[in-house]
């Protein structure tokens, strides 16, 4: 089947499957251009690969990323439970260069000169661009948890909300904790990255305790008034699978932490002292977004045009993934970042060849959560561009949640991870 370029671009945002059509690099005549991508995570690596594929290799793409390997946040809660190791969620960047001709620069972007269209690197170099894509995710707002605003305190009270050494450090603390101890998890007021992630984490730690230290407890101290994702399914898991192990306490807005004594302090509730304390601090778009001048909402997030993911403020700079001001009902997830990346990749290829972007993108999202090491629940949604409202809106009736946890969904969740890693990096 021969796809006309316009029709093909129109279908790009529709689904991951659409993006996997072989021969999708057959568009011709794209004007060569230079794209710099900051961040080689779920959004950045995907946009880099797809711009190369969909421009038939005519657009030059450079990714700036300080990490040597891709370490996935999705599935990293299983490392805390002990059913997976950090190596199981680590993927090489090699194929981006070898198969797709993406240039990888191991450095951090320090500044953006939008007038000169230049990215300045922490290592001193400069990268010129025609279009810049930022997918740097989040930074933590340490000023809102002053007691954790130094490296020593962050080691004692790990966040493990960027997968890597912090994940391993938190796992070690759980292993070292005596049976009968308490692990407390502090959740910030939404929006934060991965709405169901903290509750999945509570399940994974409880799964470990149930087997290795059955007298121990997981205490969830939620800044929100209720569980922010799949509340019925998580509460059912805590009442049945983890009865007597998990305790959920809403309305615990954290104000500070004493790292030495592992004590969490709250706006209105009593202090809580734990044996292992895991604090997820409030979050905002990462520092480079601020440096680029694209943070426009509440001094925290980046507003974008959802047809192109171009910043509403700075021309030729696109923002993807966790850093953006989300549309209603849109989670900050890897699946969503992957979908942002495909809409953006198609738009960048179109714009650099003088074409209009797809006027009607459709994006999908599924977030799986592991309740045990093998049984899983999901939530999914579909988001369609509304030309009148100029935003993405959740399509009524097109999503939903699992009826109950199941091992069948466990297999789907592992397949989801395998697929998205291949889609992003293979
Ligand atoms: C514990 C946990 C579990 C999760 N589970 C799921 C799940 O099951 N499903 C799901 O869909 N989502 C899940 N998520 C959410 C998911 O990880 C994020 O939504 C996703 O990673 C967002 O993609 P991103 O590209 O915005 O950021 P990331 O994937 O985090 O990538 C950002 C990259 O930018 C780099 N970077 C930052 N600053 C700079 C700079 N100045 N210069 C160069 N590079 C820079 C970073 O090193 C990083 O590699 C989970 C998150 C957590 C924490």
């Amino acid at each position: 089947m021969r796809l006309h370029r316009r029709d093909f671009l129109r279908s790009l945002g529709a689904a991951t499957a659409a993006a996997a059509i072989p021969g999708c690099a057959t568009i011709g005549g794209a004007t060569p251009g230079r794209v710099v991508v900051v961040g080689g995570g779920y959004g950045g690596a995907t946009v880099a690969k797809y711009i190369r594929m969909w421009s038939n290799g005519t657009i030059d793409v450079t990714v700036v990323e300080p990490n040597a390997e891709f370490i996935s946040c999705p599935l990293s809660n299983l490392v805390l439970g002990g059913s997976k190791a950090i190596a199981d969620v680590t993927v090489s960047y090699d194929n981006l260069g070898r198969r797709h001709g993406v240039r990888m620069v191991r450095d951090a972007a320090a500044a953006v000169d939008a007038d000169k269209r230049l990215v300045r690197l922490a290592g001193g170099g400069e990268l010129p661009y025609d279009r810049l894509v930022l997918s740097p995710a989040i930074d933590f707002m340490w000023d809102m948890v002053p007691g954790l605003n130094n490296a020593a305190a962050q080691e004692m009270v790990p966040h493990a909300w960027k997968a890597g050494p912090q994940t391993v450090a938190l796992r070690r603390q759980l292993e070292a904790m005596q049976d009968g101890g308490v692990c407390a998890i502090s959740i910030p007021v939404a929006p934060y990255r991965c709405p169901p992630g903290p509750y999945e984490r509570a399940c994974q730690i409880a799964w470990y305790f149930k087997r290795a230290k059955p007298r121990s407890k997981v205490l969830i101290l939620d800044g929100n008034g209720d569980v922010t994702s799949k509340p019925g399914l998580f509460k059912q898991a805590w009442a049945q699978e983890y009865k007597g192990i998990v305790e959920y306490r809403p309305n615990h807005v954290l104000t500070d932490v004493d790292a030495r004594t592992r004590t969490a302090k709250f706006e209105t509730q009593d202090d809580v002292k734990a044996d292992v304390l895991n604090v997820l601090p409030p979050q905002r778009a990462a520092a480079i977004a601020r440096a680029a001048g694209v943070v426009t909402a509440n001094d925290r997030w980046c507003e974008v045009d959802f047809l192109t993911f171009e910043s509403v403020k700075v021309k030729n700079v696109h923002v993807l993934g966790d850093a953006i001001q989300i549309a209603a009902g849109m989670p900050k997830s890897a699946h969503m970042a992957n979908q942002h990346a495909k809409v953006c990749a198609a738009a960048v290829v179109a714009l650099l060849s003088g074409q209009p972007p797809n006027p009607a993108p459709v994006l999908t999202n599924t977030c799986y959560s592991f309740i045990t090491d093998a049984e899983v629940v999901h939530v999914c949604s579909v988001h369609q561009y509304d030309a009148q409202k100029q935003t993405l809106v959740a399509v009524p009736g097109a999503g939903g949640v699992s009826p109950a946890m199941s091992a069948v969904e466990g297999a789907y969740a592992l397949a989801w991870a395998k697929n998205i890693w291949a889609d992003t990096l293979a």
Side-chain angles (χ1 to χ4, degrees):
M1 182 181 72
R2 208 181 138 76
L3 280 175
H4 284 289
R5 182 170 173 280
R6 174 70 65 86
D7 293 342
F8 178 68
L9 286 177
R10 194 161 282 160
S11 71
L12 291 185
T16 308
I21 296 169
C24 58
T26 53
I27 61 167
T31 311
R34 281 171 308 190
V35 174
V36 174
V37 178
V38 171
Y42 276 96
T46 308
V47 80
K49 172 178 158 181
Y50 276 86
I51 290 174
R52 290 290 299 166
M53 289 197 333
W54 287 340
S55 72
N56 205 13
T58 58
I59 296 176
D60 184 79
V61 179
T62 301
V63 172
V64 184
E65 167 60 55
N67 293 328
E69 292 174 301
F70 176 100
I71 306 182
S72 173
C73 286
L75 295 199
S76 70
N77 282 328
L78 276 67
V79 177
L80 301 177
S83 66
K84 294 238 177 275
I86 200 80
D88 298 327
V89 300
T90 303
V91 187
S92 163
Y93 279 122
D94 287 355
N95 282 333
L96 284 184
R98 203 168 46 212
R99 288 198 186 148
H100 302 288
V102 173
R103 190 157 73 100
M104 297 296 296
V105 172
R106 189 151 172 223
D107 205 334
V112 173
D113 185 330
D115 294 331
K116 292 192 182 142
R117 295 199 198 170
L118 274 182
V119 176
R120 298 211 160 84
L121 302 177
E126 285 182 350
L127 295 171
Y129 64 81
D130 296 308
R131 295 257 162 193
L132 172 64
V133 184
L134 302 177
S135 194
I138 48 125
D139 276 345
F140 301 113
M141 299 166 78
W142 295 117
D143 49 330
M144 292 179 76
V145 197
L148 290 184
N149 203 356
N150 63 81
Q154 288 164 30
E155 226 167 274
M156 285 187 268
V157 179
H159 53 76
W161 215 237
K162 294 184 182 185
Q166 280 261 318
T167 316
V168 175
L170 181 55
R171 171 66 189 169
R172 288 218 181 98
Q173 288 193 7
L174 293 166
E175 283 174 326
M177 193 189 88
Q178 79 286 7
D179 190 9
V182 173
C183 167
I185 304 172
S186 163
I187 306 174
V189 174
Y192 56 87
R193 86 186 316 193
C194 195
Y199 312 110
E200 176 189 59
R201 173 168 291 183
C203 291
Q204 287 306 301
I205 295 174
W207 181 82
Y208 168 58
F209 285 173
K210 194 171 168 177
R211 273 146 197 85
K213 319 181 184 223
R215 292 187 298 114
S216 310
K217 302 249 173 303
V218 181
L219 190 51
I220 306 171
L221 305 165
D222 197 339
N224 299 284
D226 197 0
V227 175
T228 61
S229 176
K230 298 173 263 198
L233 290 164
F234 280 119
K235 285 178 187 169
Q236 191 179 14
W238 302 331
Q240 291 171 6
E241 190 69 27
Y242 301 121
K243 191 169 166 38
I245 300 180
V246 174
E247 182 184 333
Y248 179 73
R249 295 187 192 165
N251 300 314
H252 276 64
V253 179
L254 191 79
T255 53
D256 208 354
V257 164
D258 181 341
R260 204 178 39 81
T261 59
R262 295 195 166 94
T263 304
K265 302 169 187 194
F266 302 95
E267 246 170 45
T268 51
Q269 314 282 356
D270 289 341
D271 293 0
V272 173
K273 195 170 173 312
D275 299 288
V276 173
L277 182 57
N278 173 216
V279 169
L280 319 182
Q283 295 148 36
R284 65 180 176 211
I288 187 64
R290 187 163 297 273
V294 292
V295 172
T296 52
N298 302 330
D299 199 28
R300 282 175 82 173
W301 308 110
C302 311
E303 289 163 288
V304 296
D305 172 350
F306 285 112
L307 289 181
T308 58
F309 286 82
E310 188 171 9
S311 161
V312 296
K313 191 158 161 231
V314 184
K315 284 218 83 54
N316 306 308
V317 178
H318 303 249
V319 193
L320 311 176
D322 290 351
I324 70 161
Q325 167 79 343
I326 46 178
M330 199 192 229
K332 292 186 183 293
S333 73
H335 196 135
M336 215 67 258
N338 171 282
Q339 299 280 288
H340 297 171
K342 287 173 185 167
V343 174
C344 179
V348 164
V349 172
L351 292 167
L352 285 176
S353 48
Q355 300 290 320
N358 171 13
V362 180
L363 293 77
T364 61
N365 183 74
T366 304
C367 285
Y368 290 102
S369 299
F370 281 79
I371 302 296
T372 67
D373 63 330
E375 285 150 309
V376 164
V377 294
H378 82 268
V379 56
C380 64
S381 52
V382 178
H383 306 262
Q384 189 168 37
Y385 190 75
D386 183 316
Q388 245 175 0
K389 295 183 182 146
Q390 297 192 352
T391 187
L392 289 161
V393 293
V395 177
V401 296
S402 316
M405 71 174 186
S406 71
V408 170
E409 288 210 35
Y412 292 166
L414 293 174
W416 173 90
K418 218 171 140 188
N419 276 324
I420 201 164
W421 293 343
D423 190 41
T424 308
L425 297 158

